[in-house]
Amino acid sequence: IDVQNIEQHDSVHQEEEDETLDKFPDGWEEYSYIDIRDHFDCGYRSGDNYKSLPSLEDWNFMRKTYTEVVDSNKKWDDPVPPTLGYSLEKGVPVPPP
């Protein structure tokens, strides 16, 4: 094994990665959590107790998209399907209203 050649390759590859991370696409914009919350009016939406919950089809679409875009190794192995809700209290099987 040519260790010197490997080290040179790794060094060049790291420099290329560093340059890539320094360059954002034209028109790149950054948003904070608050910016996104304000843009989508989440304060109003979160206080709306009559909004419908996502369907199983919606959840599967979001999970598939997350896996494709963010983390291809993510495993979705929930003990309870996402449309059945959850409880914030241990031992209470009823989902919140």
Side-chain angles (χ1 to χ4, degrees):
I1 297 177
D2 185 357
V3 175
Q4 184 178 7
N5 190 23
I6 292 172
E7 289 174 354
Q8 285 176 334
H9 172 75
D10 289 347
S11 175
V12 168
H13 184 70
Q14 183 62 46
E15 289 173 13
E16 290 172 356
E17 281 184 11
D18 291 345
E19 287 177 15
T20 302
L21 294 175
D22 290 341
K23 297 177 184 175
F24 291 103
D26 292 340
W28 180 269
E29 296 182 27
E30 292 186 29
Y31 296 91
S32 69
Y33 170 81
I34 297 298
D35 293 335
I36 293 170
R37 185 173 167 81
D38 289 345
H39 175 78
F40 289 104
D41 199 15
C42 293
Y44 172 78
R45 178 101 172 121
S46 65
D48 177 5
N49 293 328
Y50 298 100
K51 62 184 170 286
S52 60
L53 294 173
S55 67
L56 186 56
E57 182 180 354
D58 295 333
W59 277 110
N60 287 334
F61 173 75
M62 289 185 275
R63 289 174 167 193
K64 179 178 176 254
T65 303
Y66 180 92
T67 304
E68 290 173 356
V69 175
V70 178
D71 182 0
S72 61
N73 295 316
K74 175 66 178 159
K75 301 293 182 223
W76 303 101
D77 55 358
D78 299 331
V80 177
T83 55
L84 294 183
Y86 57 91
S87 176
L88 298 176
E89 295 182 44
K90 188 174 183 175
V92 178
V94 181

